[in-house]
Amino acid sequence: MKEIKSTSTFFEYENMAELTLIDQELMQAAIEVRKRAYAPYSKFRVGAAILLDDGTIIVGSNQENAAFPSGLCAERTAIFYAGATHPNAVMLSIAISASSDLKPTVTPIPPCGACRQAILEYENKQEQPIRMLFMGAEGPVIESPSLINILPFHFDKNSL
Ligand code: THU
């Protein structure tokens, strides 16, 4: 038996103002689309904004359903739309902002496991990292230089 270590490096920004202007614009797009999320059941709103290599920003928000599992997270709404409409574009970064209508959300909210898996697929497809920025409604922002950085021991096409 041997020990296998897995390490990840993240960057923390005190708040949005510390981001570059391009990242601020991307996060602002995530915040704006978050406000229009359809989340009548959880009251938890998530917005995601993806920057493509041609400068286009693709956004998505969580879309809930009375049959709960039929809803979809913001990140997958955005990335599937980007994949459908810009199949040859490279996705440079994804910014995510989450807030609850019921309580303040001031800590960074990372993407769920299913969304990590979905984003990994596109990172592998384009063979280039997708930078990730995530935050709550306000407060600190966490940057992960890639998706793979937050999904060790992942399942992908090499597993098939
Ligand atoms: N949600 C997202 O949109 N992204 C995530 O990564 C985690 C959760 C949504 C799904 C659901 O509409 C609400 O947040 C509560 O789970």
mmCIF file of all heavy atoms in Angstrom, residues 44-88:
data_model
loop_
_atom_site.group_PDB
_atom_site.id
_atom_site.type_symbol
_atom_site.label_atom_id
_atom_site.label_comp_id
_atom_site.label_asym_id
_atom_site.label_seq_id
_atom_site.Cartn_x
_atom_site.Cartn_y
_atom_site.Cartn_z
ATOM 1 N N PHE A 44 -32.886 29.596 -4.027
ATOM 2 C CA PHE A 44 -31.428 29.699 -4.129
ATOM 3 C C PHE A 44 -31.115 29.985 -5.592
ATOM 4 O O PHE A 44 -31.433 29.184 -6.476
ATOM 5 C CB PHE A 44 -30.779 28.390 -3.665
ATOM 6 C CG PHE A 44 -29.298 28.477 -3.474
ATOM 7 C CD1 PHE A 44 -28.762 29.102 -2.351
ATOM 8 C CD2 PHE A 44 -28.425 27.938 -4.404
ATOM 9 C CE1 PHE A 44 -27.383 29.187 -2.163
ATOM 10 C CE2 PHE A 44 -27.043 28.013 -4.224
ATOM 11 C CZ PHE A 44 -26.527 28.645 -3.100
ATOM 12 N N ARG A 45 -30.551 31.133 -5.835
ATOM 13 C CA ARG A 45 -30.334 31.588 -7.217
ATOM 14 C C ARG A 45 -28.868 31.475 -7.594
ATOM 15 O O ARG A 45 -28.006 31.888 -6.814
ATOM 16 C CB ARG A 45 -30.752 33.054 -7.374
ATOM 17 C CG ARG A 45 -32.186 33.298 -7.050
ATOM 18 C CD ARG A 45 -32.516 34.788 -7.019
ATOM 19 N NE ARG A 45 -33.884 34.940 -6.579
ATOM 20 C CZ ARG A 45 -34.934 34.835 -7.382
ATOM 21 N NH1 ARG A 45 -34.757 34.632 -8.680
ATOM 22 N NH2 ARG A 45 -36.158 34.955 -6.913
ATOM 23 N N VAL A 46 -28.626 30.935 -8.750
ATOM 24 C CA VAL A 46 -27.247 30.790 -9.222
ATOM 25 C C VAL A 46 -27.173 31.344 -10.649
ATOM 26 O O VAL A 46 -28.061 31.103 -11.470
ATOM 27 C CB VAL A 46 -26.795 29.302 -9.209
ATOM 28 C CG1 VAL A 46 -25.315 29.191 -9.568
ATOM 29 C CG2 VAL A 46 -27.054 28.653 -7.846
ATOM 30 N N GLY A 47 -26.114 32.090 -10.906
ATOM 31 C CA GLY A 47 -25.865 32.605 -12.258
ATOM 32 C C GLY A 47 -24.482 32.181 -12.700
ATOM 33 O O GLY A 47 -23.543 32.154 -11.899
ATOM 34 N N ALA A 48 -24.341 31.838 -13.969
ATOM 35 C CA ALA A 48 -23.045 31.441 -14.512
ATOM 36 C C ALA A 48 -22.828 32.200 -15.816
ATOM 37 O O ALA A 48 -23.770 32.390 -16.605
ATOM 38 C CB ALA A 48 -23.000 29.936 -14.764
ATOM 39 N N ALA A 49 -21.593 32.657 -16.022
ATOM 40 C CA ALA A 49 -21.247 33.378 -17.252
ATOM 41 C C ALA A 49 -19.945 32.795 -17.790
ATOM 42 O O ALA A 49 -18.970 32.661 -17.042
ATOM 43 C CB ALA A 49 -21.103 34.864 -16.987
ATOM 44 N N ILE A 50 -19.953 32.429 -19.062
ATOM 45 C CA ILE A 50 -18.792 31.792 -19.700
ATOM 46 C C ILE A 50 -18.216 32.730 -20.743
ATOM 47 O O ILE A 50 -18.946 33.211 -21.628
ATOM 48 C CB ILE A 50 -19.204 30.456 -20.360
ATOM 49 C CG1 ILE A 50 -19.750 29.490 -19.307
ATOM 50 C CG2 ILE A 50 -18.021 29.822 -21.108
ATOM 51 C CD1 ILE A 50 -20.398 28.237 -19.879
ATOM 52 N N LEU A 51 -16.902 32.979 -20.646
ATOM 53 C CA LEU A 51 -16.213 33.815 -21.639
ATOM 54 C C LEU A 51 -15.613 32.922 -22.715
ATOM 55 O O LEU A 51 -14.808 32.024 -22.422
ATOM 56 C CB LEU A 51 -15.109 34.632 -20.962
ATOM 57 C CG LEU A 51 -14.254 35.497 -21.889
ATOM 58 C CD1 LEU A 51 -15.094 36.589 -22.566
ATOM 59 C CD2 LEU A 51 -13.081 36.104 -21.118
ATOM 60 N N LEU A 52 -16.002 33.154 -23.963
ATOM 61 C CA LEU A 52 -15.455 32.398 -25.100
ATOM 62 C C LEU A 52 -14.254 33.134 -25.688
ATOM 63 O O LEU A 52 -14.074 34.331 -25.452
ATOM 64 C CB LEU A 52 -16.532 32.212 -26.172
ATOM 65 C CG LEU A 52 -17.847 31.565 -25.724
ATOM 66 C CD1 LEU A 52 -18.780 31.408 -26.922
ATOM 67 C CD2 LEU A 52 -17.595 30.221 -25.051
ATOM 68 N N ASP A 53 -13.471 32.412 -26.486
ATOM 69 C CA ASP A 53 -12.239 33.012 -27.032
ATOM 70 C C ASP A 53 -12.507 34.124 -28.046
ATOM 71 O O ASP A 53 -11.599 34.888 -28.356
ATOM 72 C CB ASP A 53 -11.305 31.943 -27.615
ATOM 73 C CG ASP A 53 -11.945 31.114 -28.722
ATOM 74 O OD1 ASP A 53 -13.180 31.178 -28.902
ATOM 75 O OD2 ASP A 53 -11.205 30.387 -29.402
ATOM 76 N N ASP A 54 -13.747 34.240 -28.547
ATOM 77 C CA ASP A 54 -14.044 35.373 -29.445
ATOM 78 C C ASP A 54 -14.643 36.552 -28.673
ATOM 79 O O ASP A 54 -15.118 37.513 -29.269
ATOM 80 C CB ASP A 54 -14.996 34.932 -30.576
ATOM 81 C CG ASP A 54 -16.394 34.584 -30.068
ATOM 82 O OD1 ASP A 54 -16.643 34.602 -28.837
ATOM 83 O OD2 ASP A 54 -17.277 34.305 -30.910
ATOM 84 N N GLY A 55 -14.633 36.460 -27.335
ATOM 85 C CA GLY A 55 -15.121 37.564 -26.507
ATOM 86 C C GLY A 55 -16.588 37.452 -26.134
ATOM 87 O O GLY A 55 -17.083 38.200 -25.282
ATOM 88 N N THR A 56 -17.298 36.504 -26.747
ATOM 89 C CA THR A 56 -18.721 36.315 -26.420
ATOM 90 C C THR A 56 -18.865 35.843 -24.982
ATOM 91 O O THR A 56 -18.074 35.035 -24.492
ATOM 92 C CB THR A 56 -19.343 35.240 -27.350
ATOM 93 O OG1 THR A 56 -19.113 35.614 -28.695
ATOM 94 C CG2 THR A 56 -20.841 35.082 -27.118
ATOM 95 N N ILE A 57 -19.893 36.345 -24.305
ATOM 96 C CA ILE A 57 -20.221 35.863 -22.965
ATOM 97 C C ILE A 57 -21.558 35.130 -23.039
ATOM 98 O O ILE A 57 -22.555 35.686 -23.510
ATOM 99 C CB ILE A 57 -20.283 37.031 -21.945
ATOM 100 C CG1 ILE A 57 -18.886 37.624 -21.745
ATOM 101 C CG2 ILE A 57 -20.867 36.555 -20.616
ATOM 102 C CD1 ILE A 57 -18.828 38.807 -20.785
ATOM 103 N N ILE A 58 -21.556 33.872 -22.614
ATOM 104 C CA ILE A 58 -22.769 33.042 -22.593
ATOM 105 C C ILE A 58 -23.208 32.915 -21.136
ATOM 106 O O ILE A 58 -22.384 32.593 -20.274
ATOM 107 C CB ILE A 58 -22.479 31.624 -23.137
ATOM 108 C CG1 ILE A 58 -21.925 31.678 -24.563
ATOM 109 C CG2 ILE A 58 -23.694 30.726 -23.018
ATOM 110 C CD1 ILE A 58 -22.929 31.935 -25.642
ATOM 111 N N VAL A 59 -24.487 33.155 -20.873
ATOM 112 C CA VAL A 59 -24.950 33.101 -19.483
ATOM 113 C C VAL A 59 -26.026 32.032 -19.287
ATOM 114 O O VAL A 59 -26.683 31.611 -20.236
ATOM 115 C CB VAL A 59 -25.498 34.473 -19.014
ATOM 116 C CG1 VAL A 59 -24.399 35.524 -19.012
ATOM 117 C CG2 VAL A 59 -26.681 34.915 -19.866
ATOM 118 N N GLY A 60 -26.200 31.629 -18.040
ATOM 119 C CA GLY A 60 -27.269 30.697 -17.687
ATOM 120 C C GLY A 60 -27.585 30.825 -16.208
ATOM 121 O O GLY A 60 -26.732 31.257 -15.423
ATOM 122 N N SER A 61 -28.814 30.492 -15.869
ATOM 123 C CA SER A 61 -29.202 30.509 -14.449
ATOM 124 C C SER A 61 -29.896 29.191 -14.132
ATOM 125 O O SER A 61 -30.301 28.466 -15.057
ATOM 126 C CB SER A 61 -30.142 31.678 -14.156
ATOM 127 O OG SER A 61 -31.330 31.541 -14.916
ATOM 128 N N ASN A 62 -30.039 28.872 -12.842
ATOM 129 C CA ASN A 62 -30.718 27.622 -12.511
ATOM 130 C C ASN A 62 -32.196 27.714 -12.857
ATOM 131 O O ASN A 62 -32.831 28.762 -12.679
ATOM 132 C CB ASN A 62 -30.478 27.188 -11.055
ATOM 133 C CG ASN A 62 -30.798 28.237 -10.018
ATOM 134 O OD1 ASN A 62 -30.631 29.411 -10.242
ATOM 135 N ND2 ASN A 62 -31.270 27.790 -8.862
ATOM 136 N N GLN A 63 -32.724 26.605 -13.366
ATOM 137 C CA GLN A 63 -34.108 26.511 -13.823
ATOM 138 C C GLN A 63 -34.751 25.342 -13.090
ATOM 139 O O GLN A 63 -34.439 24.185 -13.375
ATOM 140 C CB GLN A 63 -34.143 26.296 -15.344
ATOM 141 C CG GLN A 63 -33.473 27.409 -16.147
ATOM 142 C CD GLN A 63 -34.210 28.737 -16.028
ATOM 143 O OE1 GLN A 63 -35.448 28.766 -16.119
ATOM 144 N NE2 GLN A 63 -33.481 29.816 -15.807
ATOM 145 N N GLU A 64 -35.613 25.660 -12.147
ATOM 146 C CA GLU A 64 -36.209 24.598 -11.316
ATOM 147 C C GLU A 64 -37.519 24.095 -11.912
ATOM 148 O O GLU A 64 -38.069 24.674 -12.850
ATOM 149 C CB GLU A 64 -36.387 25.126 -9.883
ATOM 150 C CG GLU A 64 -35.031 25.462 -9.261
ATOM 151 C CD GLU A 64 -35.096 25.821 -7.780
ATOM 152 O OE1 GLU A 64 -36.206 26.025 -7.244
ATOM 153 O OE2 GLU A 64 -34.010 25.892 -7.175
ATOM 154 N N ASN A 65 -37.987 22.985 -11.342
ATOM 155 C CA ASN A 65 -39.186 22.330 -11.840
ATOM 156 C C ASN A 65 -39.922 21.721 -10.659
ATOM 157 O O ASN A 65 -39.282 21.255 -9.714
ATOM 158 C CB ASN A 65 -38.777 21.228 -12.846
ATOM 159 C CG ASN A 65 -39.956 20.710 -13.631
ATOM 160 O OD1 ASN A 65 -40.780 19.944 -13.126
ATOM 161 N ND2 ASN A 65 -40.058 21.131 -14.856
ATOM 162 N N ALA A 66 -41.260 21.689 -10.728
ATOM 163 C CA ALA A 66 -42.065 21.092 -9.651
ATOM 164 C C ALA A 66 -41.670 19.632 -9.448
ATOM 165 O O ALA A 66 -41.724 19.114 -8.325
ATOM 166 C CB ALA A 66 -43.548 21.205 -9.980
ATOM 167 N N ALA A 67 -41.275 18.966 -10.536
ATOM 168 C CA ALA A 67 -40.664 17.625 -10.427
ATOM 169 C C ALA A 67 -39.174 17.895 -10.214
ATOM 170 O O ALA A 67 -38.430 18.067 -11.183
ATOM 171 C CB ALA A 67 -40.925 16.829 -11.694
ATOM 172 N N PHE A 68 -38.755 18.002 -8.981
ATOM 173 C CA PHE A 68 -37.449 18.585 -8.640
ATOM 174 C C PHE A 68 -36.261 18.149 -9.509
ATOM 175 O O PHE A 68 -35.499 18.990 -9.957
ATOM 176 C CB PHE A 68 -37.117 18.352 -7.154
ATOM 177 C CG PHE A 68 -37.977 19.126 -6.184
ATOM 178 C CD1 PHE A 68 -37.816 18.954 -4.816
ATOM 179 C CD2 PHE A 68 -38.954 20.023 -6.617
ATOM 180 C CE1 PHE A 68 -38.599 19.658 -3.907
ATOM 181 C CE2 PHE A 68 -39.755 20.732 -5.723
ATOM 182 C CZ PHE A 68 -39.575 20.543 -4.358
ATOM 183 N N PRO A 69 -36.077 16.830 -9.743
ATOM 184 C CA PRO A 69 -34.876 16.446 -10.506
ATOM 185 C C PRO A 69 -34.901 16.900 -11.962
ATOM 186 O O PRO A 69 -33.887 16.825 -12.640
ATOM 187 C CB PRO A 69 -34.878 14.904 -10.429
ATOM 188 C CG PRO A 69 -35.844 14.557 -9.343
ATOM 189 C CD PRO A 69 -36.845 15.661 -9.301
ATOM 190 N N SER A 70 -36.038 17.382 -12.443
ATOM 191 C CA SER A 70 -36.106 17.838 -13.835
ATOM 192 C C SER A 70 -35.501 19.223 -14.026
ATOM 193 O O SER A 70 -35.307 19.666 -15.160
ATOM 194 C CB SER A 70 -37.559 17.856 -14.324
ATOM 195 O OG SER A 70 -38.103 16.567 -14.238
ATOM 196 N N GLY A 71 -35.202 19.922 -12.928
ATOM 197 C CA GLY A 71 -34.573 21.230 -13.047
ATOM 198 C C GLY A 71 -33.102 21.096 -13.414
ATOM 199 O O GLY A 71 -32.552 19.991 -13.490
ATOM 200 N N LEU A 72 -32.455 22.232 -13.677
ATOM 201 C CA LEU A 72 -31.041 22.196 -14.058
ATOM 202 C C LEU A 72 -30.281 23.350 -13.408
ATOM 203 O O LEU A 72 -30.810 24.462 -13.291
ATOM 204 C CB LEU A 72 -30.889 22.275 -15.583
ATOM 205 C CG LEU A 72 -29.507 21.888 -16.120
ATOM 206 C CD1 LEU A 72 -29.179 20.422 -15.841
ATOM 207 C CD2 LEU A 72 -29.432 22.139 -17.630
ATOM 208 N N CYS A 73 -29.044 23.063 -13.023
ATOM 209 C CA CYS A 73 -28.166 24.070 -12.419
ATOM 210 C C CYS A 73 -27.770 25.126 -13.451
ATOM 211 O O CYS A 73 -27.766 24.868 -14.664
ATOM 212 C CB CYS A 73 -26.886 23.416 -11.917
ATOM 213 S SG CYS A 73 -27.084 22.343 -10.495
ATOM 214 N N ALA A 74 -27.355 26.270 -12.921
ATOM 215 C CA ALA A 74 -26.936 27.393 -13.772
ATOM 216 C C ALA A 74 -25.743 27.037 -14.648
ATOM 217 O O ALA A 74 -25.709 27.366 -15.843
ATOM 218 C CB ALA A 74 -26.566 28.571 -12.878
ATOM 219 N N GLU A 75 -24.767 26.357 -14.052
ATOM 220 C CA GLU A 75 -23.525 26.071 -14.790
ATOM 221 C C GLU A 75 -23.798 25.189 -15.994
ATOM 222 O O GLU A 75 -23.251 25.394 -17.073
ATOM 223 C CB GLU A 75 -22.510 25.373 -13.867
ATOM 224 C CG GLU A 75 -22.041 26.207 -12.677
ATOM 225 C CD GLU A 75 -22.927 26.064 -11.444
ATOM 226 O OE1 GLU A 75 -24.147 25.824 -11.596
ATOM 227 O OE2 GLU A 75 -22.404 26.195 -10.335
ATOM 228 N N ARG A 76 -24.648 24.179 -15.808
ATOM 229 C CA ARG A 76 -24.938 23.288 -16.936
ATOM 230 C C ARG A 76 -25.844 23.974 -17.952
ATOM 231 O O ARG A 76 -25.698 23.768 -19.156
ATOM 232 C CB ARG A 76 -25.535 21.967 -16.440
ATOM 233 C CG ARG A 76 -24.439 20.992 -16.012
ATOM 234 C CD ARG A 76 -24.997 19.725 -15.428
ATOM 235 N NE ARG A 76 -25.556 19.955 -14.096
ATOM 236 C CZ ARG A 76 -26.404 19.153 -13.486
ATOM 237 N NH1 ARG A 76 -26.826 18.061 -14.102
ATOM 238 N NH2 ARG A 76 -26.818 19.421 -12.269
ATOM 239 N N THR A 77 -26.785 24.817 -17.480
ATOM 240 C CA THR A 77 -27.614 25.572 -18.422
ATOM 241 C C THR A 77 -26.698 26.376 -19.341
ATOM 242 O O THR A 77 -26.866 26.395 -20.569
ATOM 243 C CB THR A 77 -28.565 26.514 -17.652
ATOM 244 O OG1 THR A 77 -29.350 25.740 -16.746
ATOM 245 C CG2 THR A 77 -29.485 27.262 -18.585
ATOM 246 N N ALA A 78 -25.700 27.042 -18.741
ATOM 247 C CA ALA A 78 -24.796 27.904 -19.526
ATOM 248 C C ALA A 78 -23.883 27.081 -20.426
ATOM 249 O O ALA A 78 -23.729 27.385 -21.616
ATOM 250 C CB ALA A 78 -23.973 28.782 -18.576
ATOM 251 N N ILE A 79 -23.277 26.034 -19.878
ATOM 252 C CA ILE A 79 -22.256 25.327 -20.663
ATOM 253 C C ILE A 79 -22.888 24.518 -21.792
ATOM 254 O O ILE A 79 -22.315 24.414 -22.885
ATOM 255 C CB ILE A 79 -21.323 24.492 -19.755
ATOM 256 C CG1 ILE A 79 -19.953 24.348 -20.446
ATOM 257 C CG2 ILE A 79 -21.894 23.131 -19.401
ATOM 258 C CD1 ILE A 79 -18.791 24.127 -19.518
ATOM 259 N N PHE A 80 -24.071 23.978 -21.569
ATOM 260 C CA PHE A 80 -24.732 23.243 -22.654
ATOM 261 C C PHE A 80 -25.171 24.213 -23.759
ATOM 262 O O PHE A 80 -25.105 23.890 -24.951
ATOM 263 C CB PHE A 80 -25.928 22.431 -22.138
ATOM 264 C CG PHE A 80 -25.540 21.276 -21.224
ATOM 265 C CD1 PHE A 80 -26.448 20.767 -20.299
ATOM 266 C CD2 PHE A 80 -24.281 20.689 -21.295
ATOM 267 C CE1 PHE A 80 -26.102 19.692 -19.460
ATOM 268 C CE2 PHE A 80 -23.927 19.625 -20.464
ATOM 269 C CZ PHE A 80 -24.845 19.128 -19.545
ATOM 270 N N TYR A 81 -25.589 25.412 -23.359
ATOM 271 C CA TYR A 81 -25.977 26.414 -24.358
ATOM 272 C C TYR A 81 -24.745 26.840 -25.159
ATOM 273 O O TYR A 81 -24.799 26.945 -26.389
ATOM 274 C CB TYR A 81 -26.641 27.614 -23.677
ATOM 275 C CG TYR A 81 -27.178 28.608 -24.664
ATOM 276 C CD1 TYR A 81 -28.262 28.295 -25.487
ATOM 277 C CD2 TYR A 81 -26.587 29.866 -24.807
ATOM 278 C CE1 TYR A 81 -28.739 29.204 -26.417
ATOM 279 C CE2 TYR A 81 -27.064 30.775 -25.733
ATOM 280 C CZ TYR A 81 -28.140 30.435 -26.535
ATOM 281 O OH TYR A 81 -28.606 31.334 -27.467
ATOM 282 N N ALA A 82 -23.622 27.034 -24.445
ATOM 283 C CA ALA A 82 -22.377 27.406 -25.134
ATOM 284 C C ALA A 82 -21.958 26.285 -26.086
ATOM 285 O O ALA A 82 -21.573 26.535 -27.237
ATOM 286 C CB ALA A 82 -21.271 27.688 -24.111
ATOM 287 N N GLY A 83 -22.047 25.052 -25.623
ATOM 288 C CA GLY A 83 -21.672 23.905 -26.457
ATOM 289 C C GLY A 83 -22.571 23.774 -27.679
ATOM 290 O O GLY A 83 -22.123 23.401 -28.760
ATOM 291 N N ALA A 84 -23.854 24.124 -27.508
ATOM 292 C CA ALA A 84 -24.821 23.990 -28.602
ATOM 293 C C ALA A 84 -24.675 25.110 -29.626
ATOM 294 O O ALA A 84 -24.823 24.888 -30.830
ATOM 295 C CB ALA A 84 -26.240 23.970 -28.036
ATOM 296 N N THR A 85 -24.395 26.323 -29.151
ATOM 297 C CA THR A 85 -24.398 27.469 -30.069
ATOM 298 C C THR A 85 -23.006 27.827 -30.594
ATOM 299 O O THR A 85 -22.891 28.465 -31.623
ATOM 300 C CB THR A 85 -25.010 28.714 -29.376
ATOM 301 O OG1 THR A 85 -24.281 28.972 -28.171
ATOM 302 C CG2 THR A 85 -26.479 28.491 -29.048
ATOM 303 N N HIS A 86 -21.952 27.470 -29.847
ATOM 304 C CA HIS A 86 -20.571 27.793 -30.258
ATOM 305 C C HIS A 86 -19.708 26.537 -30.144
ATOM 306 O O HIS A 86 -18.771 26.487 -29.349
ATOM 307 C CB HIS A 86 -19.993 28.903 -29.367
ATOM 308 C CG HIS A 86 -20.706 30.209 -29.490
ATOM 309 N ND1 HIS A 86 -21.937 30.449 -28.931
ATOM 310 C CD2 HIS A 86 -20.346 31.350 -30.120
ATOM 311 C CE1 HIS A 86 -22.309 31.681 -29.219
ATOM 312 N NE2 HIS A 86 -21.366 32.261 -29.926
ATOM 313 N N PRO A 87 -20.022 25.496 -30.935
ATOM 314 C CA PRO A 87 -19.346 24.207 -30.741
ATOM 315 C C PRO A 87 -17.838 24.241 -30.969
ATOM 316 O O PRO A 87 -17.129 23.390 -30.456
ATOM 317 C CB PRO A 87 -20.034 23.285 -31.756
ATOM 318 C CG PRO A 87 -20.670 24.192 -32.749
ATOM 319 C CD PRO A 87 -21.019 25.447 -32.023
ATOM 320 N N ASN A 88 -17.351 25.226 -31.723
ATOM 321 C CA ASN A 88 -15.909 25.273 -32.016
ATOM 322 C C ASN A 88 -15.156 26.306 -31.188
ATOM 323 O O ASN A 88 -13.945 26.463 -31.350
ATOM 324 C CB ASN A 88 -15.676 25.536 -33.505
ATOM 325 C CG ASN A 88 -16.317 24.437 -34.350
ATOM 326 O OD1 ASN A 88 -16.207 23.252 -34.003
ATOM 327 N ND2 ASN A 88 -17.010 24.808 -35.399
#
